[in-house]
Amino acid sequence: MKRFFGYRSFEPEFGTMRKMRDIGIDNITVMVSNYCNFMGEPYTRYQPVWVWEGQYDFALLDHNIQDHLDAVPDAKLTCALDLNPPAWWYRRGDFNWRFDPFYEFGRVASSPEYRNDVCDYLEKILKHLVDKFSSNIIAIVLMGGKTTEWFDDSRGAESMPRIEAFNRYMAQKGLMDKVDIPPYFRRYSGAAESGGLLRTPEKHGMELDYWRFNSMQSAETMELFISTARSVLPETMALGLWYGYIFELGLFQQASWSQLEYERILNNPSVDFVLNPFSYGIRNRSMGGSPVSMIPLVSAPLRGKNLIMECDDTTFTSRFPAAPGGGRVSIMGRHVEWPTPGAVSAGLKRATSYALIYNTSIWFFDMWGGWYDNPAAQSTLKRCKQIWDMECGFTPGSAAEVMVVADPENMYYINDSNPESLNFLRPIIGLLNQSGVPYLTAGFNDLDKFDTGKIKLFIFCHPFEIDPVRQAVMRRVLPGKTACYLYPPGIIHNGRWDPEHVECICGSSFDTSQIVVRTTGDWRSVAAFHPENMRTGDLRKVMEIAQVHIWSGEGIPIYANDRLFAFHCAGIREVKISLPRESFCLEEVFSGRKLGAGKEFHIEVNDPDTLLFRY
């Protein structure tokens, strides 16, 4: 599947779609849903197609698709299928077998009834779409669970399907006795030695098995839907889903959301792409902040998948959904993130630059309409699309020398009900976004597949268990480089809490409170065990130890590959940029302004702005 630049809305924003087509955007998404959003209102203006048990009215589907084609006749449609069954489906359930999959996906994910009913609907609707609209549809997106992003928000609550599936899972591990799922205060507990933050196999073996089971059941259910879809779709029609969010998560959103087996989905040959929105963090979305991919940036491309970023930052023209009693409804506590025409322009350029430089696709989400109903948005999107068409065919290598390494297997050890569980990713990502250096994100299992030759600094966010397999990987990729640990590495050893083992891994003791550098084997080890206390100067010190090239000391986001680099500023200022190599002719791509040759540049920035350079 080729990278694309697309448009999406919940609403039938046909006037906006025509404007988008006029500026060159022909990838339009149509959503088909039988369910309601977080407001309790239908996701779309179109009637549900799934009308009763095993009964579907495809004339309603045709009306939805045809309206979009009437608005943009040559549209390349992406069809987003919400697989959440209608409300009557779970209200008709008996004997603790049917639940609302929007909030309690995990309680039905193991249910044969849920799986069979969804597969029947999916198979039949796809056959109809292929028969009638195969020349118009280029891709199918499978959606479901909470916010149609396959989140399990049930926090591990029991159901008969879940209990029975968990017992089958445990039987495969050799436990033949029937067991209950761990009760709430057991499954959300941690070792006293860690202040309740981390589970250990010694004390939480059943709980660890249970959380692994939940993610595996989620992935297994996804695989069933994927195989059902692929059995119907022609090879020319791409297939994708929202899955694999492990960055920028909050409380009850790590193991609890049941997406830690995302690599299983990325390894599936039937999947062509995965989608995710830019970071949920309000600070990152606002001016001066930076986008963050919630899926590790290198994980999907390494496995031949297209990574699609969704830009849904709110603008001063956004139409928020209306509350039943009047007034506006906040979306996850967000209000207007881009409050002026200048901010809208800077934000759209920032999103486009990020996608171009990190070789992803991008999808601009108009949600409830009005997001781009201003001249600044239209003119900027037109220029962004022109640059996209010129540059998206290139896939240059990354210029990043810093890699943030998450470890989904080690994330099961985290008790994600503990407020300190937020310290493993959020603080370091926030600092890196203001560090003046480009960086990549990866999962630990990516290290063996990715060419890490340019990486000088590896930041290990979840180094709780460094088993022999991980040690072997580190011995291959770390010589001559720097490893920074955001928690005492190897604290879980041979299945138990082992503070004495930490010094064997990094040369520093478990109770180290300052940033300490040691030489361990053929690389430098940096103990930074309290990332919540790190400041910009601390991170700068670590980067200097690793000999990372600092692009700018101005505390701004930088994105860079071997062809392009960009930076974003919230205010009027002069920005000093130091390139890692001489540029024969530095050109600002949005404006076409040429800055000449050199390595050091002083660049005046208007308030606010994003500048993209070809060098």
Side-chain angles (χ1 to χ4, degrees), residues 504-568:
C504 300
I505 299 294
C506 67
S508 297
S509 63
F510 164 77
D511 56 1
T512 297
S513 60
Q514 304 297 318
I515 293 177
V516 177
V517 184
R518 296 283 188 266
T519 299
T520 52
D522 298 326
W523 61 87
R524 287 177 296 273
S525 291
V526 178
F529 297 162
H530 299 277
E532 70 278 12
N533 296 328
M534 287 183 71
R535 298 293 180 263
T536 303
D538 300 321
L539 178 60
R540 181 62 58 87
K541 175 184 176 183
V542 172
M543 291 192 295
E544 289 172 352
I545 290 168
Q547 299 179 336
V548 171
H549 175 77
I550 308 297
W551 289 64
S552 176
E554 307 293 333
I556 56 174
I558 296 277
Y559 323 115
N561 62 27
D562 288 339
R563 178 178 172 84
L564 302 170
F565 80 90
F567 67 80
H568 167 74

Side-chain angles (χ1 to χ4, degrees), residues 23-74:
I23 64 176
I25 300 173
D26 61 358
N27 190 299
I28 306 292
T29 295
V30 54
M31 184 177 184
V32 180
S33 177
N34 304 286
Y35 198 77
C36 294
N37 59 23
F38 75 105
M39 292 272 297
E41 296 182 342
Y43 258 117
T44 77
R45 300 291 181 93
Y46 291 89
Q47 289 287 96
V49 172
W50 190 342
V51 293
W52 197 238
E53 306 276 6
Q55 297 179 32
Y56 318 109
D57 187 344
F58 292 134
L60 300 172
L61 170 67
D62 295 345
H63 178 50
N64 187 352
I65 301 287
Q66 194 57 53
D67 278 355
H68 286 74
L69 290 175
D70 289 344
V72 184
D74 65 342

Side-chain angles (χ1 to χ4, degrees), residues 362-380:
I362 192 164
W363 183 347
F364 291 92
F365 191 8
D366 202 7
M367 282 201 173
W368 288 275
W371 256 243
Y372 311 115
D373 285 355
N374 61 85
Q378 292 291 315
S379 62
T380 302

Side-chain angles (χ1 to χ4, degrees), residues 330-378:
S330 171
I331 308 168
M332 294 180 60
R334 296 161 49 202
H335 294 286
V336 176
E337 292 149 353
W338 298 349
T340 66
V344 169
S345 180
L348 293 173
K349 290 195 290 184
R350 180 179 68 186
T352 301
S353 299
Y354 186 97
L356 275 175
I357 287 170
Y358 293 119
N359 298 324
T360 79
S361 293
I362 192 164
W363 183 347
F364 291 92
F365 191 8
D366 202 7
M367 282 201 173
W368 288 275
W371 256 243
Y372 311 115
D373 285 355
N374 61 85
Q378 292 291 315

